[in-house]
Amino acid sequence: MEHVEIDRAGEPVIGTGAQTQGGKKVFVKTYGCQMNVYDSQRMTDALVADGYAATDRMEEADVVLLNTCHIREKAAEKVYSELGRIREVKREREKAGAGMTIGIAGCVAQAEGREIIRRAPVVDLVIGPQTYHRLPEALRKVRSGEKVVETDYAVEDKFEHLPQARRADIAKRGVTAFLSVQEGCDKFCTFCVVPYTRGSEVSRPVAQIVGEAERLAGAGVREITLLGQNVNAWHGEGPDGAEWGLGRLLFRLAEIPGVARLRYTTSHPRDMDDALIAAHRDLPALMPYLHLPVQAGSDRILKAMNRRHKAADYLRLLDRIRAARPDIAMSGDFIVGFPGETDADFEATLDLVRAVGYAQAFSFKYSPRPGTPGAEMKGHLPEKVKDERLQRLQALLFEQQHDFTRSRVGMRFDVLIEKPGRQAGQRAGRSPWLQPVIVDETVGEIGEIVPVRITRAEASTLFAEPA
Ligand code: 5AD
Ligand code: SF4
């Protein structure tokens, strides 16, 4: 998943729900991956249904929720520094006679539980990703003066229990949407906390996914990105009684009127099955972009990471994917400085990157996570070595990304117009390969898919004129 440590407030959904909360307002700040962006939206929906209004200003919020990320140490530490700032805002509100409830959600909540309240007593509520459907109830308990910690792994289906957003609210969010189809991970890569914070792999049933996709499309959404920590491990029983994989599901979703574009993220190389590869060949709505993390290029390191494939397996898989969809843009995640990584191991990562040619990629310094096998391994590397390797890798990846965007100049293709551009008179859309494309506002309305010709590229952004 794209852990780019975004800091973004939950999109405001101005509520008209039964105002049972006396006009109380909730502010949600999201860290981490797209799954958290999606979850923040669902938490907001649950509270709006309970009578709250959403706000994007923390100062006016009665409830502040931080939806946190635990993937790397830096991400987790951000929560505590943010809590210092929030404490000040709360003090100001108290001076004015208003209160503020502070809740920690997400993977830090799941991993650290009650420890968060011990370390930061200003926190009233700790709630893990498997229990968001209990959020309104938990906030009621907090109001009666309790500190609440909800991190039990629930067998209940959180998808089932969360209320659906109203059509008007979805429409305000725009023409692209995330849809969670799978949660959790059974892969246990030795560096990763996800199997511990998100639990084991659970697939959402077909009928629920189709229902939500239909609601999104009905509210004007044109592009849906299916989400899962291991999205291509999704499987379920189709209405035909057969066992479906992600490929079959994508075909079904493409039948929904209004759904023009489909994407999915994040995938594991071991779960790229033939049907999914065939979908890239046969399903025009499936965009030619694939985020397929490999993490490292050395077989020794891949083994230590428990990735359960070799570098050559990944390259062979890519050959098959490219045979099915020659113009596919590849994206990936990389970790440098895993315990025991030698110069030669790191060179193997650079070799693999050169062999693949990525359109985009995310790369990180290894960060030991408590409770994972990697943290206990021998051969942890000095920060300086990790820094140096990260710099070299990122320079290469940046060059490849640049090559990719530059290679679009002069090409003609369809762009989905998503929103107003930063400058007056412009609109911003996306290419099939996910780059932002800036066009004049006369080129098309938001939600339209229009043919354009690319005139210029700047870092990762494209500029276009009508074709
Ligand atoms: N240290 C550094 N990067 C990590 N990732 C996951 N765990 C760690 C860690 N402990 C990276 C992987 C993964 C992405 C979401 O975050 O590259 O694919
Ligand atoms: Fe983490 Fe590996 Fe699972 Fe991805 S596949 S979530 S990196 S354990």
Side-chain angles (χ1 to χ4, degrees), residues 134-163:
R134 297 194 213 133
L135 181 60
E137 185 52 41
L139 284 173
R140 271 189 279 277
K141 281 195 214 158
V142 169
R143 266 201 303 285
S144 67
E146 273 180 67
K147 295 260 179 191
V148 178
V149 179
E150 286 269 16
T151 51
D152 285 352
Y153 270 43
V155 248
E156 307 138 75
D157 183 350
K158 85 171 208 189
F159 298 124
E160 191 85 81
H161 284 77
L162 281 172

PDB file of all heavy atoms in Angstrom, residues 134-163:
ATOM      1  N   ARG A 134     -18.198   0.048  16.341  1.00  0.00           N
ATOM      2  CA  ARG A 134     -18.591   0.343  17.719  1.00  0.00           C
ATOM      3  C   ARG A 134     -18.259   1.784  18.118  1.00  0.00           C
ATOM      4  O   ARG A 134     -18.375   2.155  19.278  1.00  0.00           O
ATOM      5  CB  ARG A 134     -17.886  -0.603  18.687  1.00  0.00           C
ATOM      6  CG  ARG A 134     -18.276  -2.052  18.478  1.00  0.00           C
ATOM      7  CD  ARG A 134     -17.821  -2.896  19.670  1.00  0.00           C
ATOM      8  NE  ARG A 134     -17.468  -4.224  19.226  1.00  0.00           N
ATOM      9  CZ  ARG A 134     -16.357  -4.871  19.585  1.00  0.00           C
ATOM     10  NH1 ARG A 134     -15.492  -4.290  20.415  1.00  0.00           N
ATOM     11  NH2 ARG A 134     -16.111  -6.066  19.135  1.00  0.00           N
ATOM     12  N   LEU A 135     -17.832   2.587  17.170  1.00  0.00           N
ATOM     13  CA  LEU A 135     -17.378   3.941  17.485  1.00  0.00           C
ATOM     14  C   LEU A 135     -18.449   4.829  18.141  1.00  0.00           C
ATOM     15  O   LEU A 135     -18.176   5.443  19.178  1.00  0.00           O
ATOM     16  CB  LEU A 135     -16.810   4.590  16.208  1.00  0.00           C
ATOM     17  CG  LEU A 135     -16.253   6.003  16.329  1.00  0.00           C
ATOM     18  CD1 LEU A 135     -15.106   6.083  17.328  1.00  0.00           C
ATOM     19  CD2 LEU A 135     -15.768   6.503  14.957  1.00  0.00           C
ATOM     20  N   PRO A 136     -19.669   4.914  17.573  1.00  0.00           N
ATOM     21  CA  PRO A 136     -20.677   5.774  18.219  1.00  0.00           C
ATOM     22  C   PRO A 136     -20.926   5.355  19.672  1.00  0.00           C
ATOM     23  O   PRO A 136     -20.985   6.210  20.569  1.00  0.00           O
ATOM     24  CB  PRO A 136     -21.925   5.570  17.346  1.00  0.00           C
ATOM     25  CG  PRO A 136     -21.392   5.159  16.016  1.00  0.00           C
ATOM     26  CD  PRO A 136     -20.171   4.327  16.307  1.00  0.00           C
ATOM     27  N   GLU A 137     -21.003   4.055  19.895  1.00  0.00           N
ATOM     28  CA  GLU A 137     -21.226   3.523  21.244  1.00  0.00           C
ATOM     29  C   GLU A 137     -20.038   3.874  22.158  1.00  0.00           C
ATOM     30  O   GLU A 137     -20.213   4.308  23.304  1.00  0.00           O
ATOM     31  CB  GLU A 137     -21.390   1.996  21.128  1.00  0.00           C
ATOM     32  CG  GLU A 137     -21.758   1.280  22.405  1.00  0.00           C
ATOM     33  CD  GLU A 137     -22.982   1.890  23.085  1.00  0.00           C
ATOM     34  OE1 GLU A 137     -23.936   2.244  22.360  1.00  0.00           O
ATOM     35  OE2 GLU A 137     -22.960   2.008  24.330  1.00  0.00           O
ATOM     36  N   ALA A 138     -18.834   3.726  21.638  1.00  0.00           N
ATOM     37  CA  ALA A 138     -17.637   4.017  22.427  1.00  0.00           C
ATOM     38  C   ALA A 138     -17.610   5.495  22.827  1.00  0.00           C
ATOM     39  O   ALA A 138     -17.249   5.836  23.960  1.00  0.00           O
ATOM     40  CB  ALA A 138     -16.386   3.660  21.629  1.00  0.00           C
ATOM     41  N   LEU A 139     -18.020   6.372  21.923  1.00  0.00           N
ATOM     42  CA  LEU A 139     -18.024   7.810  22.246  1.00  0.00           C
ATOM     43  C   LEU A 139     -19.072   8.123  23.315  1.00  0.00           C
ATOM     44  O   LEU A 139     -18.874   9.000  24.155  1.00  0.00           O
ATOM     45  CB  LEU A 139     -18.267   8.650  20.992  1.00  0.00           C
ATOM     46  CG  LEU A 139     -17.048   8.758  20.063  1.00  0.00           C
ATOM     47  CD1 LEU A 139     -17.413   9.454  18.760  1.00  0.00           C
ATOM     48  CD2 LEU A 139     -15.898   9.501  20.749  1.00  0.00           C
ATOM     49  N   ARG A 140     -20.185   7.384  23.300  1.00  0.00           N
ATOM     50  CA  ARG A 140     -21.186   7.573  24.363  1.00  0.00           C
ATOM     51  C   ARG A 140     -20.597   7.195  25.723  1.00  0.00           C
ATOM     52  O   ARG A 140     -20.795   7.880  26.713  1.00  0.00           O
ATOM     53  CB  ARG A 140     -22.447   6.758  24.067  1.00  0.00           C
ATOM     54  CG  ARG A 140     -23.455   7.539  23.219  1.00  0.00           C
ATOM     55  CD  ARG A 140     -24.788   6.821  23.100  1.00  0.00           C
ATOM     56  NE  ARG A 140     -24.737   5.788  22.068  1.00  0.00           N
ATOM     57  CZ  ARG A 140     -24.916   6.049  20.767  1.00  0.00           C
ATOM     58  NH1 ARG A 140     -25.150   7.271  20.336  1.00  0.00           N
ATOM     59  NH2 ARG A 140     -24.856   5.079  19.881  1.00  0.00           N
ATOM     60  N   LYS A 141     -19.818   6.098  25.738  1.00  0.00           N
ATOM     61  CA  LYS A 141     -19.189   5.678  26.995  1.00  0.00           C
ATOM     62  C   LYS A 141     -18.210   6.744  27.480  1.00  0.00           C
ATOM     63  O   LYS A 141     -18.135   7.038  28.669  1.00  0.00           O
ATOM     64  CB  LYS A 141     -18.428   4.359  26.796  1.00  0.00           C
ATOM     65  CG  LYS A 141     -19.319   3.137  26.797  1.00  0.00           C
ATOM     66  CD  LYS A 141     -18.446   1.893  26.964  1.00  0.00           C
ATOM     67  CE  LYS A 141     -19.008   0.718  26.205  1.00  0.00           C
ATOM     68  NZ  LYS A 141     -17.998  -0.301  25.906  1.00  0.00           N
ATOM     69  N   VAL A 142     -17.436   7.295  26.521  1.00  0.00           N
ATOM     70  CA  VAL A 142     -16.467   8.329  26.889  1.00  0.00           C
ATOM     71  C   VAL A 142     -17.202   9.511  27.522  1.00  0.00           C
ATOM     72  O   VAL A 142     -16.759  10.067  28.529  1.00  0.00           O
ATOM     73  CB  VAL A 142     -15.656   8.801  25.653  1.00  0.00           C
ATOM     74  CG1 VAL A 142     -14.844  10.047  25.988  1.00  0.00           C
ATOM     75  CG2 VAL A 142     -14.741   7.679  25.164  1.00  0.00           C
ATOM     76  N   ARG A 143     -18.355   9.875  26.953  1.00  0.00           N
ATOM     77  CA  ARG A 143     -19.111  11.026  27.493  1.00  0.00           C
ATOM     78  C   ARG A 143     -19.575  10.789  28.918  1.00  0.00           C
ATOM     79  O   ARG A 143     -19.722  11.717  29.691  1.00  0.00           O
ATOM     80  CB  ARG A 143     -20.293  11.368  26.591  1.00  0.00           C
ATOM     81  CG  ARG A 143     -19.935  12.455  25.586  1.00  0.00           C
ATOM     82  CD  ARG A 143     -21.160  13.152  25.064  1.00  0.00           C
ATOM     83  NE  ARG A 143     -22.089  12.206  24.459  1.00  0.00           N
ATOM     84  CZ  ARG A 143     -21.898  11.660  23.266  1.00  0.00           C
ATOM     85  NH1 ARG A 143     -20.842  11.970  22.550  1.00  0.00           N
ATOM     86  NH2 ARG A 143     -22.760  10.788  22.779  1.00  0.00           N
ATOM     87  N   SER A 144     -19.775   9.503  29.269  1.00  0.00           N
ATOM     88  CA  SER A 144     -20.192   9.248  30.643  1.00  0.00           C
ATOM     89  C   SER A 144     -18.973   9.132  31.572  1.00  0.00           C
ATOM     90  O   SER A 144     -19.086   8.695  32.709  1.00  0.00           O
ATOM     91  CB  SER A 144     -21.081   7.996  30.714  1.00  0.00           C
ATOM     92  OG  SER A 144     -20.298   6.873  30.381  1.00  0.00           O
ATOM     93  N   GLY A 145     -17.806   9.520  31.054  1.00  0.00           N
ATOM     94  CA  GLY A 145     -16.640   9.672  31.919  1.00  0.00           C
ATOM     95  C   GLY A 145     -15.643   8.529  31.896  1.00  0.00           C
ATOM     96  O   GLY A 145     -14.659   8.549  32.627  1.00  0.00           O
ATOM     97  N   GLU A 146     -15.868   7.525  31.038  1.00  0.00           N
ATOM     98  CA  GLU A 146     -14.929   6.397  30.976  1.00  0.00           C
ATOM     99  C   GLU A 146     -13.785   6.668  30.002  1.00  0.00           C
ATOM    100  O   GLU A 146     -13.972   7.389  29.027  1.00  0.00           O
ATOM    101  CB  GLU A 146     -15.661   5.165  30.402  1.00  0.00           C
ATOM    102  CG  GLU A 146     -16.386   4.307  31.387  1.00  0.00           C
ATOM    103  CD  GLU A 146     -17.047   3.134  30.641  1.00  0.00           C
ATOM    104  OE1 GLU A 146     -16.304   2.283  30.113  1.00  0.00           O
ATOM    105  OE2 GLU A 146     -18.292   3.095  30.584  1.00  0.00           O
ATOM    106  N   LYS A 147     -12.628   6.046  30.243  1.00  0.00           N
ATOM    107  CA  LYS A 147     -11.614   5.931  29.186  1.00  0.00           C
ATOM    108  C   LYS A 147     -11.904   4.599  28.491  1.00  0.00           C
ATOM    109  O   LYS A 147     -12.086   3.590  29.165  1.00  0.00           O
ATOM    110  CB  LYS A 147     -10.205   5.890  29.780  1.00  0.00           C
ATOM    111  CG  LYS A 147      -9.812   7.187  30.475  1.00  0.00           C
ATOM    112  CD  LYS A 147      -8.927   8.046  29.597  1.00  0.00           C
ATOM    113  CE  LYS A 147      -8.578   9.349  30.309  1.00  0.00           C
ATOM    114  NZ  LYS A 147      -7.949  10.341  29.440  1.00  0.00           N
ATOM    115  N   VAL A 148     -11.948   4.597  27.179  1.00  0.00           N
ATOM    116  CA  VAL A 148     -12.364   3.386  26.478  1.00  0.00           C
ATOM    117  C   VAL A 148     -11.234   2.862  25.579  1.00  0.00           C
ATOM    118  O   VAL A 148     -10.635   3.624  24.822  1.00  0.00           O
ATOM    119  CB  VAL A 148     -13.628   3.658  25.627  1.00  0.00           C
ATOM    120  CG1 VAL A 148     -14.045   2.417  24.861  1.00  0.00           C
ATOM    121  CG2 VAL A 148     -14.767   4.147  26.516  1.00  0.00           C
ATOM    122  N   VAL A 149     -10.953   1.561  25.677  1.00  0.00           N
ATOM    123  CA  VAL A 149      -9.991   0.912  24.777  1.00  0.00           C
ATOM    124  C   VAL A 149     -10.714  -0.241  24.079  1.00  0.00           C
ATOM    125  O   VAL A 149     -11.161  -1.178  24.726  1.00  0.00           O
ATOM    126  CB  VAL A 149      -8.763   0.371  25.551  1.00  0.00           C
ATOM    127  CG1 VAL A 149      -7.788  -0.330  24.604  1.00  0.00           C
ATOM    128  CG2 VAL A 149      -8.053   1.509  26.288  1.00  0.00           C
ATOM    129  N   GLU A 150     -10.855  -0.144  22.768  1.00  0.00           N
ATOM    130  CA  GLU A 150     -11.559  -1.167  21.968  1.00  0.00           C
ATOM    131  C   GLU A 150     -10.581  -1.723  20.954  1.00  0.00           C
ATOM    132  O   GLU A 150     -10.436  -1.188  19.861  1.00  0.00           O
ATOM    133  CB  GLU A 150     -12.718  -0.518  21.192  1.00  0.00           C
ATOM    134  CG  GLU A 150     -13.924  -0.156  22.023  1.00  0.00           C
ATOM    135  CD  GLU A 150     -14.954  -1.286  22.073  1.00  0.00           C
ATOM    136  OE1 GLU A 150     -14.591  -2.431  21.726  1.00  0.00           O
ATOM    137  OE2 GLU A 150     -16.087  -0.987  22.469  1.00  0.00           O
ATOM    138  N   THR A 151      -9.867  -2.786  21.324  1.00  0.00           N
ATOM    139  CA  THR A 151      -8.927  -3.351  20.343  1.00  0.00           C
ATOM    140  C   THR A 151      -9.120  -4.849  20.189  1.00  0.00           C
ATOM    141  O   THR A 151      -8.284  -5.521  19.603  1.00  0.00           O
ATOM    142  CB  THR A 151      -7.461  -3.075  20.758  1.00  0.00           C
ATOM    143  OG1 THR A 151      -7.301  -3.486  22.110  1.00  0.00           O
ATOM    144  CG2 THR A 151      -7.103  -1.621  20.631  1.00  0.00           C
ATOM    145  N   ASP A 152     -10.231  -5.347  20.700  1.00  0.00           N
ATOM    146  CA  ASP A 152     -10.507  -6.783  20.540  1.00  0.00           C
ATOM    147  C   ASP A 152     -10.677  -7.097  19.073  1.00  0.00           C
ATOM    148  O   ASP A 152     -11.318  -6.343  18.357  1.00  0.00           O
ATOM    149  CB  ASP A 152     -11.821  -7.164  21.242  1.00  0.00           C
ATOM    150  CG  ASP A 152     -11.647  -7.201  22.725  1.00  0.00           C
ATOM    151  OD1 ASP A 152     -10.488  -7.088  23.178  1.00  0.00           O
ATOM    152  OD2 ASP A 152     -12.658  -7.319  23.427  1.00  0.00           O
ATOM    153  N   TYR A 153     -10.109  -8.231  18.657  1.00  0.00           N
ATOM    154  CA  TYR A 153     -10.373  -8.681  17.296  1.00  0.00           C
ATOM    155  C   TYR A 153     -11.805  -9.164  17.243  1.00  0.00           C
ATOM    156  O   TYR A 153     -12.156 -10.139  17.878  1.00  0.00           O
ATOM    157  CB  TYR A 153      -9.436  -9.832  16.933  1.00  0.00           C
ATOM    158  CG  TYR A 153      -8.162  -9.350  16.331  1.00  0.00           C
ATOM    159  CD1 TYR A 153      -7.491  -8.266  16.868  1.00  0.00           C
ATOM    160  CD2 TYR A 153      -7.652  -9.971  15.213  1.00  0.00           C
ATOM    161  CE1 TYR A 153      -6.326  -7.815  16.285  1.00  0.00           C
ATOM    162  CE2 TYR A 153      -6.473  -9.517  14.635  1.00  0.00           C
ATOM    163  CZ  TYR A 153      -5.817  -8.443  15.179  1.00  0.00           C
ATOM    164  OH  TYR A 153      -4.663  -7.986  14.608  1.00  0.00           O
ATOM    165  N   ALA A 154     -12.634  -8.439  16.540  1.00  0.00           N
ATOM    166  CA  ALA A 154     -14.037  -8.830  16.492  1.00  0.00           C
ATOM    167  C   ALA A 154     -14.239  -9.834  15.370  1.00  0.00           C
ATOM    168  O   ALA A 154     -13.640  -9.707  14.318  1.00  0.00           O
ATOM    169  CB  ALA A 154     -14.883  -7.602  16.249  1.00  0.00           C
ATOM    170  N   VAL A 155     -15.054 -10.819  15.621  1.00  0.00           N
ATOM    171  CA  VAL A 155     -15.417 -11.738  14.538  1.00  0.00           C
ATOM    172  C   VAL A 155     -16.522 -11.110  13.703  1.00  0.00           C
ATOM    173  O   VAL A 155     -16.769 -11.505  12.575  1.00  0.00           O
ATOM    174  CB  VAL A 155     -15.902 -13.111  15.063  1.00  0.00           C
ATOM    175  CG1 VAL A 155     -14.908 -14.200  14.706  1.00  0.00           C
ATOM    176  CG2 VAL A 155     -16.171 -13.079  16.548  1.00  0.00           C
ATOM    177  N   GLU A 156     -17.197 -10.117  14.327  1.00  0.00           N
ATOM    178  CA  GLU A 156     -18.265  -9.431  13.603  1.00  0.00           C
ATOM    179  C   GLU A 156     -17.685  -8.803  12.350  1.00  0.00           C
ATOM    180  O   GLU A 156     -16.511  -8.501  12.283  1.00  0.00           O
ATOM    181  CB  GLU A 156     -18.854  -8.291  14.446  1.00  0.00           C
ATOM    182  CG  GLU A 156     -19.310  -8.684  15.815  1.00  0.00           C
ATOM    183  CD  GLU A 156     -18.899  -7.624  16.836  1.00  0.00           C
ATOM    184  OE1 GLU A 156     -19.527  -6.575  16.864  1.00  0.00           O
ATOM    185  OE2 GLU A 156     -17.928  -7.854  17.558  1.00  0.00           O
ATOM    186  N   ASP A 157     -18.530  -8.569  11.408  1.00  0.00           N
ATOM    187  CA  ASP A 157     -18.079  -8.002  10.147  1.00  0.00           C
ATOM    188  C   ASP A 157     -18.181  -6.492  10.204  1.00  0.00           C
ATOM    189  O   ASP A 157     -19.251  -5.939  10.197  1.00  0.00           O
ATOM    190  CB  ASP A 157     -18.956  -8.569   9.028  1.00  0.00           C
ATOM    191  CG  ASP A 157     -18.496  -8.075   7.682  1.00  0.00           C
ATOM    192  OD1 ASP A 157     -17.646  -7.183   7.624  1.00  0.00           O
ATOM    193  OD2 ASP A 157     -19.018  -8.587   6.689  1.00  0.00           O
ATOM    194  N   LYS A 158     -17.029  -5.854  10.251  1.00  0.00           N
ATOM    195  CA  LYS A 158     -17.062  -4.395  10.354  1.00  0.00           C
ATOM    196  C   LYS A 158     -17.649  -3.761   9.100  1.00  0.00           C
ATOM    197  O   LYS A 158     -18.252  -2.719   9.153  1.00  0.00           O
ATOM    198  CB  LYS A 158     -15.681  -3.840  10.661  1.00  0.00           C
ATOM    199  CG  LYS A 158     -14.808  -3.611   9.471  1.00  0.00           C
ATOM    200  CD  LYS A 158     -13.570  -2.852   9.880  1.00  0.00           C
ATOM    201  CE  LYS A 158     -13.054  -2.037   8.719  1.00  0.00           C
ATOM    202  NZ  LYS A 158     -11.757  -1.442   8.966  1.00  0.00           N
ATOM    203  N   PHE A 159     -17.472  -4.445   7.963  1.00  0.00           N
ATOM    204  CA  PHE A 159     -18.051  -3.914   6.720  1.00  0.00           C
ATOM    205  C   PHE A 159     -19.572  -3.868   6.837  1.00  0.00           C
ATOM    206  O   PHE A 159     -20.222  -2.914   6.470  1.00  0.00           O
ATOM    207  CB  PHE A 159     -17.707  -4.833   5.541  1.00  0.00           C
ATOM    208  CG  PHE A 159     -16.238  -4.951   5.266  1.00  0.00           C
ATOM    209  CD1 PHE A 159     -15.627  -6.194   5.237  1.00  0.00           C
ATOM    210  CD2 PHE A 159     -15.473  -3.829   5.010  1.00  0.00           C
ATOM    211  CE1 PHE A 159     -14.276  -6.312   4.946  1.00  0.00           C
ATOM    212  CE2 PHE A 159     -14.123  -3.944   4.723  1.00  0.00           C
ATOM    213  CZ  PHE A 159     -13.524  -5.192   4.694  1.00  0.00           C
ATOM    214  N   GLU A 160     -20.119  -4.957   7.368  1.00  0.00           N
ATOM    215  CA  GLU A 160     -21.566  -5.107   7.471  1.00  0.00           C
ATOM    216  C   GLU A 160     -22.158  -4.065   8.398  1.00  0.00           C
ATOM    217  O   GLU A 160     -23.236  -3.541   8.158  1.00  0.00           O
ATOM    218  CB  GLU A 160     -21.856  -6.508   8.030  1.00  0.00           C
ATOM    219  CG  GLU A 160     -23.300  -6.960   7.962  1.00  0.00           C
ATOM    220  CD  GLU A 160     -23.617  -7.566   6.616  1.00  0.00           C
ATOM    221  OE1 GLU A 160     -23.302  -8.753   6.406  1.00  0.00           O
ATOM    222  OE2 GLU A 160     -24.171  -6.835   5.783  1.00  0.00           O
ATOM    223  N   HIS A 161     -21.436  -3.763   9.478  1.00  0.00           N
ATOM    224  CA  HIS A 161     -22.023  -2.939  10.517  1.00  0.00           C
ATOM    225  C   HIS A 161     -21.925  -1.442  10.287  1.00  0.00           C
ATOM    226  O   HIS A 161     -22.641  -0.686  10.896  1.00  0.00           O
ATOM    227  CB  HIS A 161     -21.386  -3.277  11.875  1.00  0.00           C
ATOM    228  CG  HIS A 161     -21.890  -4.566  12.424  1.00  0.00           C
ATOM    229  ND1 HIS A 161     -21.447  -5.783  11.941  1.00  0.00           N
ATOM    230  CD2 HIS A 161     -22.803  -4.835  13.381  1.00  0.00           C
ATOM    231  CE1 HIS A 161     -22.068  -6.747  12.600  1.00  0.00           C
ATOM    232  NE2 HIS A 161     -22.879  -6.201  13.471  1.00  0.00           N
ATOM    233  N   LEU A 162     -20.986  -1.023   9.458  1.00  0.00           N
ATOM    234  CA  LEU A 162     -20.840   0.422   9.274  1.00  0.00           C
ATOM    235  C   LEU A 162     -21.951   0.954   8.384  1.00  0.00           C
ATOM    236  O   LEU A 162     -22.278   0.348   7.367  1.00  0.00           O
ATOM    237  CB  LEU A 162     -19.484   0.734   8.646  1.00  0.00           C
ATOM    238  CG  LEU A 162     -18.313   0.719   9.618  1.00  0.00           C
ATOM    239  CD1 LEU A 162     -17.005   0.848   8.857  1.00  0.00           C
ATOM    240  CD2 LEU A 162     -18.421   1.835  10.642  1.00  0.00           C
ATOM    241  N   PRO A 163     -22.547   2.088   8.752  1.00  0.00           N
ATOM    242  CA  PRO A 163     -23.607   2.629   7.914  1.00  0.00           C
ATOM    243  C   PRO A 163     -23.058   3.119   6.578  1.00  0.00           C
ATOM    244  O   PRO A 163     -21.894   3.489   6.475  1.00  0.00           O
ATOM    245  CB  PRO A 163     -24.141   3.806   8.730  1.00  0.00           C
ATOM    246  CG  PRO A 163     -23.062   4.160   9.667  1.00  0.00           C
ATOM    247  CD  PRO A 163     -22.247   2.930   9.916  1.00  0.00           C
TER     248      PRO A 163
END
